[in-house]
Amino acid sequence: MRKILVTAISGDIGNGILKILSTSKDCVLYGCDVNDMAIGMDMVHSFWKCKYAVEEGYIEQMLEKCKKYHITHLIPVNEREIEVIAASRNLFEELQIKLVIQSENVLKICLDKYMTFLFLKKYDFSVPNTWLSPNEILDADTKYICKPRKSNGSKNIFIFSKKEEIMNKDINQCVIQEYIESDNEYTVGVFHHKNILNVISFKRKLKNGYSDKVELVDNEKIYELVEKLVMVLPFEGYLNVQLKERNGIFYIFEINARISGTVRFRDMLGFHDLLWWLDILDGKEILKYVCPYSIAIGMRELNEKFLVLEK
C-alpha cells in the first residue's frame, strides 16, 4: 500500500494530482499546504498546515510528518519545495521515502530560467533571447517579458514594450526574455523511462497563469524537438516543455522539471504520467503511449463545495 504525501494541495497542480490518485485503490493520501484551509483537504486521510519551503524548520517538519504517517512516496508540487527537498533528498531516502523529483543535474538546469536558456542555446534549440540585466538589451523597441529567474508558478511576471520601461524597476533575481508574439502556444508533456518516450502536446489558452483551455495536437516537429531534448538532457520521469510557434519555428521558452498544470487533462486522455512515475520508482515497467483520440478539447470548469469541519 502506497502512503503518498502531496504538497501544496490547494493549488491547481496539487488538486489535479489528488483527483487522479483518489481513484486508486492501492494508496492512502496525505496532504499539506501553507494555508490552514486548503481546497484539497477533504480528499486526504490527514492534512496539516506546513511551513513555507524557505522557512527554517521546513525539512524537519516534513521529515517528522513522514515518519509519523509512514509515508512511502512524496510528491513536492512547486519549484521552491522541489529545490529545498532535493537538497535534502538523502534524509528522505534514509527513511526509504521515494521522491517524485528529477535528478540533481536536471533540476540545476530547469529550476533556473537563465541556466535553461544557456543550456538550450548550447545545443542549438530555438529559444527567445534572455538576459539578466536590461543593460544587455540591444534593441530598445522590442517587446520583452520579465519573470523571476527561479519561479513558483506564473507569478510576478510582466510584459513591457520598450527597454526604457524597465530601466528603473527592481528586477533583482529576474530574467528578461524576448517576447515571442504568437497565438500558438503549446504545453508538451514528456515522459521518459529507459527506451520509452511518451509525448502528448496541447495548444493552450491561459487564464490567470494556468491552462484554461487545451486542444490536443499531433505535430511531428514538436516530437522531433522532444527527441533531441531527451538526447542532450537525459532524465527519468516527467518534464513539461513550453513552446511558442512563430513562422514555423518552435521556440522553447521554459522547461518545468515537475508535474505540470495539465496533469488531469493528460490523465483523462490516458497519458498517466503521474502514475507512471510512481510505478517506475516502485520498479514497475510502463508501456508506450498511443493516444486513442485524434481530436480532444479540454476546459476547466468552476466548482463549489463546502468543507465540513464539524457536524
Side-chain angles (χ1 to χ4, degrees):
M1 178 69 70
R2 292 168 172 165
K3 293 191 173 184
I4 303 174
L5 169 57
V6 183
T7 70
I9 62 170
S10 64
D12 64 311
I13 300 174
N15 209 244
I17 289 172
L18 291 183
K19 287 176 180 177
I20 294 168
L21 294 178
S22 63
T23 63
S24 176
K25 297 180 180 179
D26 68 343
C27 69
V28 181
L29 299 180
Y30 299 81
C32 62
D33 197 273
V34 296
N35 299 297
D36 52 8
M37 292 290 291
I39 291 175
M41 61 190 296
D42 60 329
M43 301 174 68
V44 299
H45 181 72
S46 292
F47 166 81
W48 62 90
K49 180 182 179 180
C50 68
K51 295 176 179 287
Y52 285 90
V54 295
E55 282 187 84
E56 184 178 349
Y58 172 78
I59 287 295
E60 289 76 9
Q61 183 190 53
M62 293 295 287
L63 289 169
E64 177 189 348
K65 295 294 186 180
C66 286
K67 290 177 185 177
K68 178 179 179 179
Y69 294 110
H70 306 287
I71 298 300
T72 60
H73 300 74
L74 170 56
I75 307 176
V77 168
N78 66 54
E79 285 89 346
R80 195 55 56 86
E81 292 172 329
I82 290 169
E83 184 176 30
V84 173
I85 290 173
S88 299
R89 68 170 77 221
N90 63 308
L91 299 178
F92 292 92
E93 291 171 352
E94 287 173 4
L95 297 176
Q96 297 184 319
I97 297 169
K98 298 170 183 177
L99 300 177
V100 182
I101 290 181
Q102 281 297 339
S103 68
E104 181 179 348
N105 182 55
V106 172
L107 293 179
K108 181 180 179 181
I109 294 168
C110 298
L111 290 180
D112 184 324
K113 290 181 175 61
Y114 192 66
M115 290 290 290
T116 303
F117 164 72
L118 294 177
F119 175 83
L120 294 172
K121 197 76 173 174
K122 176 182 176 181
Y123 289 102
D124 297 321
F125 288 91
S126 296
V127 59
N129 286 319
T130 303
W131 304 272
L132 294 177
S133 168
N135 295 321
E136 299 173 347
I137 299 173
L138 298 179
D139 188 347
D141 294 320
T142 299
K143 186 178 284 189
Y144 302 96
I145 183 168
C146 183
K147 48 191 174 182
R149 183 170 175 173
K150 292 188 175 182
S151 68
N152 185 7
S154 300
K155 300 174 183 177
N156 302 317
I157 293 175
F158 62 92
I159 297 171
F160 57 101
S161 300
K162 294 183 179 182
K163 174 180 176 178
E164 62 187 32
E165 292 179 17
I166 199 173
M167 292 303 292
N168 296 321
K169 289 185 178 291
D170 180 10
I171 58 167
N172 188 37
Q173 301 300 315
C174 291
V175 295
I176 304 165
Q177 196 172 73
E178 173 191 1
Y179 185 78
I180 304 296
E181 292 275 14
S182 174
D183 292 328
N184 299 321
E185 182 170 332
Y186 300 87
T187 179
V188 184
V190 186
F191 194 92
H192 182 240
H193 177 58
K194 296 181 179 179
N195 63 334
I196 298 291
L197 177 60
N198 291 336
V199 181
I200 190 168
S201 304
F202 295 116
K203 187 175 181 180
R204 71 174 184 174
K205 293 290 185 182
L206 290 175
K207 182 179 180 180
N208 299 325
Y210 58 82
S211 298
D212 183 56
K213 179 180 178 181
V214 296
E215 180 180 354
L216 182 69
V217 297
D218 183 10
N219 188 296
E220 188 63 29
K221 285 186 177 181
I222 293 178
Y223 191 86
E224 290 173 359
L225 183 152
V226 168
E227 281 187 312
K228 178 182 175 182
L229 181 62
V230 173
M231 291 293 291
V232 299
L233 184 65
F235 66 92
E236 288 281 304
Y238 177 83
L239 281 184
N240 167 252
V241 181
Q242 296 186 17
L243 308 168
K244 279 191 174 183
E245 183 269 326
R246 184 177 66 186
N247 299 328
I249 299 174
F250 287 89
Y251 294 85
I252 302 178
F253 65 90
E254 203 160 302
I255 301 176
N256 295 310
R258 56 164 171 76
I259 299 294
S260 62
T262 54
V263 59
R264 184 105 193 282
F265 285 130
R266 299 191 302 272
D267 189 77
M268 294 171 74
L269 298 184
F271 195 94
H272 304 305
D273 51 275
L274 173 63
L275 301 177
W276 295 336
W277 204 339
L278 292 169
D279 282 346
I280 66 173
L281 287 174
D282 289 340
K284 300 178 182 180
E285 293 300 317
I286 63 169
L287 300 176
K288 178 68 177 175
Y289 174 70
V290 178
C291 186
Y293 307 96
S294 58
I295 300 174
I297 296 175
M299 292 172 284
R300 295 189 190 271
E301 63 180 3
L302 295 174
N303 189 37
E304 299 82 20
K305 67 180 178 182
F306 283 102
L307 299 180
V308 180
L309 303 180
E310 293 185 12
K311 294 185 179 179

